Amino acid sequence: MSDATAAPPPARGEALLATVTPRQLAWRRFKRHRLALVSAVVLGVLYLLALFCELVAPYSPQTRNVAAINAPPMGIRFFHTDGFHLRPFVYGYDMRVNPDTWMREYTPNVGKRYPLRFFASGDEHTLWNLLPSTRHLFVAEGGYIHLFGTDQLGRDVFSRILYGARVSLSIGVAGVVLTFVLGILFGGVAGYLGGITDRAVQWFIAVLLALPTLPLWMALSAALPVSWSPLAVYFGVTVILSLLGWPYLARQVRGRFLALRQEDFVIAGRLLGAGRMRVILRHMLPNFMSHTITAATLAVPFMILGETALSFLGIGLRPPVVSWGVLMQQAQNWQVIVMTPWLLLPGLFVIIAVTAFNLLGDGLRDAADPYNTGGLE
Amino acid sequence: MNEGAPAGAELLEVRGLSKFFGDVAAVERVSLDLARAETLGVVGESGSGKTTLARCILRAIDPDAGSVRFNSANGWTSLHSLKEKELVPLRREMQMIFQDPFSSLNPRMTVQQILEEPLLIHGERKRGKRVAAVREMLSRVQLGADALTRYPHAFSGGQRQRIGIARALMLRPSLVVCDESVSALDVSVQAQIINLLEDLQAELGLTYLFVAHDLAVVRHICDRVLVMHRGRVVETGTVEDVFERPRQDYTRLLLSAIPSPDPDVPLKPLDRATLNL
Ligand SMILES: Nc1ncnc2c1ncn2[C@@H]1O[C@H](COP(=O)(O)OP(=O)(O)OP(=O)(O)O)[C@@H](O)[C@H]1O
Ligand SMILES: [Mg+2]
């Protein structure tokens, strides 16, 4: 036993592992989640569209096209009667009122060919309320283009979905940021101080979680004064969503905090003589943020769904504000759903965004586990 | 460190130490003495309070009753009555080596950062000195300097345990508490780590409080043993006394649980046959 052995043989895959940082390792683990990766891209595109909705949308959300009321989606085409065209185009509609049902019926007219012009002039808009412009990503020259059809006032559904994305997607993030602040504050304080404070916060959280969420949301939203400006209502709804969402996050934060405090490396830090600040900043926070970001990602869908639900019921955001929930108000009766099913498209976007956030959260959760070497070991 | 201290001088004195979790007494009225350069084994079944005892002594958790006195460079100090802040200078003198080589290292710090942290905490401002000390310690635990820039995930269990040992020794403590420090490792790696611990003890004059449930290891490395059962000390004495002439039924039961070695299988490098088991 007395002869000291040489250094042990290297671990398998060490050559590869040796050179990467924890962040790179997390990225490796994340990349293995194809769905999470795709979701990240989808969300990136959605948020870009929302950010530049004035440019991307061919119309302003209130522009009415009386020539196309309740018109179905128009397809982008490349083949005309005379063959292939490099410049895409759409066919304008011929409308006739069905004498039996009194419904408008639209048929594409090959004679009304509207070629698409990119970065051309269209409706006036003010990007981010700062830069007035008339440029749009695409406009239909000499006619109109409604990729997702129009509603009963002749407004372009595609444009309205983009403007709605800005409100719905940003409310999700704003709500989560606020939830985050409250959750980390309460959860962290409870987890760190322990004792009476912990029990008081725990009790408070238990009570909040026991309240039925939907009726409470409704009651609080209904209490928002009708006279408030759209912006005030927007913030009001955000606050309401966060007020009821933070207990979940606070619970997770607290649990994570308690668990981390028991981790050997945190105890090791304390035993080395590290002060509170060093233990928290150097050992706990870096190992804590990844989990919290995951929790936050998984919380965004609740916010988006909350806004949609409230607005759909008419007690959240109200017209003329455009959000996905507001848009879906139009699809509240079966007649609309049968005759103009494209008015349900905002719902599809809600589903896409919510699913993408959930999948992204799953990927992040796995990537956040520092002991998982991503199949490299 | 303990240069000049007379060999055999007392280093640690624990009296009537108790720790309760709710109604459960994890540790109950435990007393023990530890002399310099000695190795005291703490054995007992799972849940007998070994970890709790070790952590109470180092004030990783606060004991509910009893006293812990430590013979530091400035004479005897009562650890149990000190505030966390007042304890900091004494942290240089007593350190811990953990069981789990995975969770005991901060996954977001490089080996360099992990090993220089103790020096930073205790006020070593000169980067050059820290780097030199880290390199020296790294070679003591038989790791190459190429380890410095790597993160813990890049090492095997045995290598991580070496890093954990290096971190514990950076401040040149006199007392080192090893809580099951080899039980999570493969048998061959266990032997390497035990050899390393023994070498380091000889080189640096370390005193070990060695918590383990592997009695063969305890018998090999320890001078004296303390047997715990349900938070209490049931028997204590030299390794020979306890292993050859156990006085308590519980100790006999514990000893009977040691697997007898198969003569056809040479157990290397921790050769249990030579340990008369
Ligand atoms: N933080 C805690 N909260 C409540 N009970 C605890 C806590 N830590 C330990 N205990 C209890 O105290 C008793 C002693 O536990 P301890 O971990 O000290 O035992 P041990 O001898 O180290 O066991 P093992 O060999 O499994 O490590 C057990 O009954 C355990 O359940
Ligand atoms: Mg234990």
Side-chain angles (χ1 to χ4, degrees), chain B residues 33-48:
Chain B
D33 293 287
L34 199 52
R36 283 187 195 278
E38 167 182 59
T39 303
L40 174 66
V42 178
V43 298
E45 64 189 5
S46 184
S48 55

Side-chain angles (χ1 to χ4, degrees), chain A residues 182-238:
Chain A
L182 289 171
I184 288 187
L185 200 69
F186 280 90
V189 163
Y192 196 81
L193 293 182
I196 293 249
T197 324
D198 187 25
R199 255 170 288 157
V201 173
Q202 285 278 89
W203 180 84
F204 188 44
I205 286 176
V207 170
L208 275 180
L209 288 183
L211 297 174
T213 319
L214 199 60
L216 203 63
W217 270 356
M218 294 172 64
L220 285 172
S221 313
L224 292 180
V226 186
S227 57
W228 277 15
S229 72
L231 194 69
V233 173
Y234 175 93
F235 282 114
V237 169
T238 312

Side-chain angles (χ1 to χ4, degrees), chain A residues 1 4-5 14 17-18 20 22 25 263-265 267-268 270-274 278 282-283 286-287 371 377, chain B residues 55 60 91 95 98 103-104 106-108 113 117 121-122 142 150-151 153-154 167 192 195 199 220 269-270:
Chain A
M1 286 281 321
T5 2
E14 190 196 354
L17 268 175
V20 299
L25 209 57
E263 285 273 357
D264 283 350
F265 68 82
I267 295 176
R270 273 175 49 215
L271 288 182
L272 289 171
R278 179 177 267 279
R282 201 89 177 90
H283 296 290
N287 289 286
Y371 302 127
E377 221 168 37
Chain B
R55 296 198 169 185
R91 295 273 182 221
Q95 281 300 316
F98 292 82
S103 65
S104 59
N106 186 337
R108 307 207 180 246
Q113 290 170 328
E117 186 178 34
I121 291 169
H122 290 273
Q142 294 153 16
R150 297 197 206 159
Y151 288 86
H153 64 245
R167 174 182 60 193
Q192 292 170 359
N195 284 334
D199 292 346
H220 173 81
L270 183 73

